[in-house]
């Protein structure tokens, strides 16, 4: 007789680059008993044997097939009281059959004027030479978030939660409690503050991603959620390709923003 895995709350947050998602994850790590899975679908997309994109000429990593990720997320975790996963919708495009069963779903969004300006500043610093003049296909991610949201609501009949990063920054206690209530986790004030870290390896991620020390520099040095600037700034000084990416992303962001949970 098959024994079904113990039922515990499981939640996955879908996002795109520079949406303060690692800060969100660090907040979740303030909860005891929660098993955190960090960007396993992104690992399959970039580093697995079935990878959809190639950032570097490196051999694929074992145990990072899309089926491996689904099986890992759905697995029995006897020592934990909940499961949290953070990942990118663009990493799962055209692979929806590998969505994990039994999960609460949420989308973490941020104004593309801010997220894509931040992405540009990061990649224009000289540490990503292959990204110097253009965003790689698919990494902007807002279109893929909207497509996944529609799939979940129309095909699987799941009602995902939508959260805006600025709402969390301005109302951290209220928004994180709303998320926890929706996901089935127990909110505590310990989620609002964490220790500054010098190295991402202190977080014990399950695999080694490409240049993670650069991507997570700001989130690692943070000690809590910080309030955003008053406005998104002037994008006219940005290169044309960044302005085009912002323009193309805005309709998808605005659709999701209308659906967000408000403070």
């Amino acid at each position: 007789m098959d024994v079904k895995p113990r039922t515990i709350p499981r939640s996955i947050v879908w996002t795109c680059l520079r949406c303060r998602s690692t800060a969100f994850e660090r907040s979740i790590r303030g909860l005891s008993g929660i098993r955190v899975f960090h960007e396993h679908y992104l690992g399959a997309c970039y580093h697995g044997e079935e990878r959809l994109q190639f950032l570097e000429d490196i051999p694929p990593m074992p145990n990072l097939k899309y089926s491996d990720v689904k099986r890992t997320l759905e697995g029995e975790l006897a020592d934990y009281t909940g499961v949290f996963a953070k990942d990118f919708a663009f990493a799962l495009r055209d692979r929806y059959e590998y969505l994990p069963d039994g999960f609460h779903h949420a989308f973490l969004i941020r104004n593309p004027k801010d997220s894509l300006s931040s992405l540009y500043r990061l990649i224009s610093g000289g540490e990503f030479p292959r990204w110097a003049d253009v965003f790689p296909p698919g990494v902007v991610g807002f279109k893929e978030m909207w497509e996944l949201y529609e799939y979940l609501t129309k095909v699987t009949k799941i009602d995902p939660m939508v959260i805006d990063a600025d709402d969390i920054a301005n109302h951290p206690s209220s928004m994180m409690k709303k998320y926890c209530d929706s996901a089935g986790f127990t909110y505590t004030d310990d989620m609002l503050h964490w220790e500054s870290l010098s190295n991402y390896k202190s977080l014990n991620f399950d695999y080694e991603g490409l240049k993670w020390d650069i991507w997570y520099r700001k989130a690692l040095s943070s000690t809590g959620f910080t309030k955003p600037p008053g406005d998104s700034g002037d994008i006219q000084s940005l290169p044309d390709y960044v302005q085009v990416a912002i323009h193309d992303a805005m309709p998808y962001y605005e659709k999701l923003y209308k659906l967000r949970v408000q403070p």
Side-chain angles (χ1 to χ4, degrees), residues 11 20 24 31 38 59 77 92 98-99 109 171 209 230 238 251-252 262:
S11 178
R20 303 195 185 107
F24 191 100
L31 296 174
H38 179 85
L77 294 166
L92 201 63
Y98 296 111
L99 280 165
I109 61 174
H171 309 278
L238 297 171
Y252 302 108
Q262 299 189 34

Side-chain angles (χ1 to χ4, degrees), residues 85-104:
K86 188 264 283 192
D87 230 302
F88 296 99
F90 70 76
L92 201 63
R93 60 186 178 279
D94 302 323
R95 300 290 180 96
Y96 292 163
E97 68 269 25
Y98 296 111
L99 280 165
D101 293 330
F103 269 70
H104 165 273

Side-chain angles (χ1 to χ4, degrees), residues 95-96 105 113 134 142 144-145 250 252:
R95 300 290 180 96
Y96 292 163
H105 292 260
K113 292 180 181 179
V134 65
F142 283 90
E144 288 79 6
M145 276 206 290
M250 283 302 297
Y252 302 108

Side-chain angles (χ1 to χ4, degrees), residues 33-210:
I34 304 297
R35 175 61 162 98
V36 175
F37 291 100
H38 179 85
E39 301 177 4
H40 280 223
Y41 285 112
L42 186 70
C45 178
Y46 283 140
H47 302 294
E49 296 175 32
E50 305 162 323
R51 51 189 174 182
L52 303 179
Q53 297 195 38
F54 292 80
L55 291 184
E56 300 287 346
D57 297 325
I58 56 176
M61 296 181 184
N63 303 317
L64 267 179
K65 293 180 180 179
Y66 281 89
S67 57
D68 293 328
V69 177
K70 175 178 168 66
R71 183 167 54 253
T72 296
L73 294 179
E74 294 173 349
E76 171 69 18
L77 294 166
D79 296 331
Y80 296 92
T81 59
V83 175
F84 171 84
K86 188 264 283 192
D87 230 302
F88 296 99
F90 70 76
L92 201 63
R93 60 186 178 279
D94 302 323
R95 300 290 180 96
Y96 292 163
E97 68 269 25
Y98 296 111
L99 280 165
D101 293 330
F103 269 70
H104 165 273
H105 292 260
F107 288 81
L108 177 62
I109 61 174
R110 186 185 180 192
N111 192 316
K113 292 180 181 179
D114 296 321
S115 61
L116 296 181
S117 296
S118 174
L119 179 59
Y120 168 71
R121 289 193 299 271
L122 180 70
I123 67 174
S124 63
E127 295 173 293
F128 293 88
R130 292 179 62 174
W131 290 21
D133 300 314
V134 65
F135 293 147
V139 304
V140 171
F142 283 90
K143 178 175 181 287
E144 288 79 6
M145 276 206 290
W146 176 249
E147 289 173 346
L148 179 55
Y149 180 89
E150 284 204 306
Y151 177 85
L152 290 171
T153 55
K154 294 180 179 180
V155 178
T156 69
K157 306 304 180 183
I158 290 173
D159 184 19
M161 184 180 197
V162 180
I163 313 167
D164 188 82
D166 282 354
D167 286 339
I168 296 177
N170 286 315
H171 309 278
S173 177
S174 169
M175 292 304 299
M176 293 311 297
K177 186 176 188 308
K178 287 177 183 289
Y179 167 75
C180 286
D181 289 346
S182 180
F185 301 150
T186 301
Y187 169 83
T188 75
D189 287 340
D190 291 338
M191 301 178 70
L192 304 183
H193 306 284
W194 48 84
E195 293 183 4
S196 176
L197 300 174
S198 59
N199 193 303
Y200 70 87
K201 293 184 178 180
S202 301
L203 295 174
N204 298 315
F205 294 148
D206 294 305
Y207 70 97
E208 182 81 9
L210 184 67

